[in-house]
Amino acid sequence: MRALKYFCALSSCTILVVFIAVRPDSAAQARQDKYTLKVPGGLAFSEFRGYESWQLISISHGGPVMAATLGNPVMIKAYMDGLPGNGKPFPDGAKMAKIHWSTKDLETLPGSTVPATQQNVDFMMKDSKRFADSGGWGWAAFEYDAKSDTFTLATTAAKPPQGNDAKCGFACHTTVKNRDYVFTSYGHR
């Protein structure tokens, strides 16, 4: 009898553990690891780990969207050395992240516009060997869904439409080939 009680208690614990492990709404399953995403043939989100704390290069505001462009230390040093204005190419390892948000009015200061919901993040990385056929740069664009707190690869349905390969930014950036394919200038401080 005692063995039967032990067996029943053990079975109940096993069922509970299995139930907790496979619950579809568990916190572990609800959270996305954005660093597992990768653009086909190109950049992985993991190559930009820590971008959220990179130094600000510049901000921009166009229509209902505002953006902050950030640079890793290699990119910031290149700007400090006079690029792209000095005509030299950015060094391999230079990386940029551009975060886009919808905008809203600041409640505490009328007439001021601030970021609201994040829309996406775009990445650019210089690797002249890996991306030789796209000016030495690789690009990636990831759409953000605030409801699910997840990122997905940008597509031609995105706003603006994006390819989802390493060359997704190349066609647009050819207009600034003379600046080593970089639009953004470093904002004076």
Side-chain angles (χ1 to χ4, degrees):
M1 185 67 150
R2 187 176 207 162
L4 183 58
K5 285 182 182 179
Y6 176 76
F7 177 76
C8 288
L10 184 59
S11 296
S12 296
C13 287
T14 302
I15 291 169
L16 179 61
V17 167
V18 169
F19 175 75
I20 290 171
V22 299
R23 275 183 50 193
D25 62 340
S26 71
Q29 289 180 340
R31 295 187 193 272
Q32 174 197 42
D33 181 2
K34 64 187 176 185
Y35 295 112
T36 62
L37 296 174
K38 183 177 180 180
V39 170
L43 300 175
F45 213 118
S46 61
E47 294 179 270
F48 294 82
R49 190 177 299 275
Y51 74 92
E52 301 91 342
S53 63
W54 288 354
Q55 186 173 332
L56 179 70
I57 295 170
S58 184
I59 58 171
S60 59
H61 184 228
V65 178
M66 71 173 22
T69 303
L70 312 172
N72 73 343
V74 174
M75 190 73 180
I76 299 301
K77 181 176 181 332
Y79 276 117
M80 297 293 104
D81 290 344
L83 277 76
N86 64 9
K88 294 181 181 179
F90 284 90
D92 282 356
K95 298 179 186 179
M96 298 172 76
K98 188 172 189 180
I99 307 166
H100 294 94
W101 296 272
S102 58
T103 61
K104 66 179 183 177
D105 292 331
L106 182 60
E107 300 86 18
T108 56
L109 186 59
S112 295
T113 304
V114 294
T117 304
Q118 184 178 353
Q119 293 184 338
N120 56 42
V121 64
D122 302 336
F123 296 132
M124 232 177 123
M125 180 173 79
K126 183 72 176 265
D127 186 328
S128 56
K129 291 178 185 160
R130 186 173 164 195
F131 304 113
D133 60 347
S134 57
W137 290 94
W139 285 269
F142 298 93
E143 295 296 309
Y144 178 70
D145 179 63
K147 287 182 183 178
S148 63
D149 190 26
T150 59
F151 287 89
T152 57
L153 297 178
T155 67
T156 54
K159 293 181 184 177
Q162 298 280 335
N164 65 354
D165 62 15
K167 295 183 196 177
C168 68
F170 185 58
C172 183
H173 285 252
T174 57
T175 61
V176 286
K177 182 178 180 181
N178 63 338
R179 294 173 48 91
D180 196 21
Y181 302 94
V182 175
F183 284 107
T184 308
S185 294
Y186 188 78
H188 182 268
R189 288 147 172 85

